[in-house]
Amino acid sequence: MTNRGAGDELILHTEDDFEDESLQERLLGLTEMFPEVVRDTTSKLWELSKWSTANFYHYTREILWVVASSAVILALPVALEVESLQIQEAQIQQQRQILLGPKPGGAPQIGGGGLPGSGLPMMPPPPPK
């Protein structure tokens, strides 16, 4: 880059004429462009956003822990009991089916007979003696 000086001297500026600045020095120089009020407000907003984010993260973790542990303590026993009752009902139904045999009239049962929902056929009755 060339510039003309006061006495029409040709002044050449090369990249070697400028001192290397670190990123921190450049940012510090940029902050000096803004008035003190703007810098203070920006700084306070930055601190507020950091504080808000940290608190949001902290409280979210606590709430999630309470909800998850409450669900395990309150809902899991109920779910296990419901499953146990369903298994007992299925066993009772299977015992009735074994004791009473197929339905009268030879009507096919829903699900193909056998165990409920299994789709397996029922065993044929024993041959008469």
Side-chain angles (χ1 to χ4, degrees), residues 22 27 54 57 66 69 75 87-88 105 127:
S22 67
L27 290 175
Y57 175 73
V66 168
S69 60
I87 290 173
Q88 287 177 354

Side-chain angles (χ1 to χ4, degrees), residues 22-56:
S22 67
L23 180 61
Q24 183 178 4
E25 291 171 340
R26 287 185 180 199
L27 290 175
L28 182 63
L30 285 174
T31 60
E32 293 172 354
M33 286 180 15
F34 298 104
E36 187 70 27
V37 174
V38 173
R39 290 187 300 213
D40 288 343
T41 305
T42 305
S43 175
K44 287 177 184 176
L45 285 174
W46 174 251
E47 292 301 320
L48 177 65
S49 68
K50 287 190 336 186
W51 178 82
S52 299
T53 303
N55 281 339
F56 177 75

Side-chain angles (χ1 to χ4, degrees), residues 9-27:
E9 302 171 357
L10 183 60
I11 303 172
L12 295 175
H13 291 286
T14 62
E15 290 183 18
D16 296 333
D17 293 341
F18 298 108
E19 293 182 27
D20 289 332
E21 293 179 337
S22 67
L23 180 61
Q24 183 178 4
E25 291 171 340
R26 287 185 180 199
L27 290 175

Side-chain angles (χ1 to χ4, degrees), residues 59-77:
Y59 289 122
T60 301
R61 284 182 52 192
E62 285 187 7
I63 290 170
L64 186 61
W65 170 252
V66 168
V67 168
S69 60
S70 297
V72 168
I73 291 171
L74 298 174
L76 190 61

